């Protein structure tokens, strides 16, 4: 009887278990540059080099000292994954430095495979997420405060201060994925008639949005 109950629980949660990053089976796995990555669904497996060849430098990353290049929305990001920081390979995590100019935004987006926790290093940032009932959880978080964005939920940020803001965010997957809502809708090739009906926009307006979010697909 208990065996049947246990099997039922495992079957019910099997998809959830398979969707997570695999647990490491050794202390660490520093990728061996001699071998390429093995591509699997949503995951790149990087073969390990011998642990005796690892050094302290493999576990230190110095690439977050300055901001990245800013986009037209006033956002600059430096995403960090095992490809550029070998020490976090197989540890089920990645992170990012995000800088926002005054008034800059991180447009609505979500990570299909990870929960995110964002720490405000400096500035005042309007941050929030939307749950599956379309309820918005948002507020301005200040320097030293943290906000969590649950896995797979749409979230956003905007610098509401008069000075630049810096955020450090950590995600519980080494390959969290990223889908930006505007690009996913207007830059993915979804049927134009469907978009017109869904958003109440004209053919001309849809064309304008497509040119903005994916100019390569609009002639």
């Amino acid at each position: 009887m208990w065996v049947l109950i246990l099997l039922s629980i495992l079957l019910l949660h099997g998809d959830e278990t398979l969707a997570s990053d695999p647990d490491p089976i050794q202390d660490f796995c520093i990728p061996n540059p001699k071998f390429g990555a093995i591509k699997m669904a949503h995951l790149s497996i990087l073969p390990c080099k011998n642990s005796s060849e690892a050094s302290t430098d493999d576990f230190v990353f110095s690439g977050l000292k300055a901001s990245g290049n800013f986009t037209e929305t006033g956002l600059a990001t430096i995403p960090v994954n095992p490809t550029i920081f070998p020490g976090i390979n197989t540890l089920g995590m990645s992170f990012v430095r995000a800088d926002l100019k005054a008034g800059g935004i991180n447009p609505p987006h979500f990570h299909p495979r990870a929960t995110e926790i964002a720490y405000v290093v400096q500035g005042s940032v309007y941050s929030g997420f939307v749950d599956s009932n379309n309820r918005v959880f948002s507020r301005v978080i200040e320097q030293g405060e943290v906000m969590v964005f649950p896995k797979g939920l749409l979230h956003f940020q905007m610098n509401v201060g008069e000075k630049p803001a810096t955020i450090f965010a950590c995600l519980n997957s080494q390959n969290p994925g990223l889908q930006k809502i505007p690009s996913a809708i207007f830059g993915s090739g979804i049927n134009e008639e469907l978009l017109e009906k869904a958003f109440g926009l004209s053919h001309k307006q849809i064309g304008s949005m497509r040119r903005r979010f994916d100019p390569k697909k609009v002639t």
Side-chain angles (χ1 to χ4, degrees):
M1 178 66 177
W2 287 107
V3 174
L4 291 175
I5 294 175
L6 179 58
L7 286 173
S8 298
I9 293 173
L10 290 174
L11 287 171
L12 285 171
H13 294 279
D15 289 342
E16 184 176 89
T17 302
L18 292 173
S20 302
D21 283 3
D23 288 331
I25 56 174
Q26 65 279 314
D27 291 342
F28 51 80
C29 171
I30 304 302
N32 191 329
K34 296 179 182 178
F35 302 100
I38 302 172
K39 296 291 184 179
M40 297 182 69
H42 308 309
L43 182 65
S44 294
I45 298 177
L46 305 171
C48 312
K49 64 182 180 182
N50 193 300
S51 60
S52 63
E53 299 176 11
S55 69
T56 302
D57 288 343
D58 290 322
F59 302 97
V60 177
F61 184 74
S62 303
L64 298 182
K65 295 180 180 179
S67 64
N69 298 319
F70 285 91
T71 67
E72 62 179 15
T73 66
L75 170 69
T77 60
I78 303 176
V80 181
N81 55 50
T83 302
I84 61 174
F85 185 13
I88 63 174
N89 186 42
T90 74
L91 300 186
M93 66 177 297
S94 55
F95 53 91
V96 60
R97 169 178 171 157
D99 291 271
L100 292 160
K101 294 181 178 179
I105 67 167
N106 189 0
H109 64 281
F110 67 94
H111 307 287
R113 296 181 291 276
T115 293
E116 176 181 348
I117 187 164
Y119 170 76
V120 178
V121 178
Q122 64 177 6
S124 300
V125 182
Y126 171 66
S127 302
F129 66 89
V130 181
D131 72 5
S132 56
N133 292 315
N134 278 343
R135 182 180 177 187
V136 178
F137 295 82
S138 62
R139 59 167 285 182
V140 174
I141 54 175
E142 308 282 351
Q143 179 177 333
E145 292 188 304
V146 171
M147 187 168 190
V148 65
F149 305 127
K151 179 179 179 179
L153 295 187
L154 180 150
H155 53 280
F156 49 83
Q157 295 161 320
M158 178 172 66
N159 183 359
V160 294
E162 297 180 355
K163 297 180 179 180
T166 301
I167 301 164
F168 177 83
C170 188
L171 303 103
N172 66 342
S173 171
Q174 70 178 52
N175 186 18
L178 170 65
Q179 279 202 293
K180 298 179 181 179
I181 302 304
S183 297
I185 293 173
F186 298 105
S188 61
I190 294 176
N191 180 276
E192 185 171 309
E193 181 181 357
L194 185 149
L195 294 177
E196 291 175 10
K197 292 179 177 180
F199 295 98
L201 299 176
S202 67
H203 173 79
K204 182 178 181 180
Q205 290 171 321
I206 293 294
S208 176
M209 296 298 283
R210 282 187 160 171
R211 282 191 294 274
R212 177 175 180 182
F213 293 106
D214 195 357
K216 298 189 298 296
K217 293 185 179 180
V218 179
T219 57

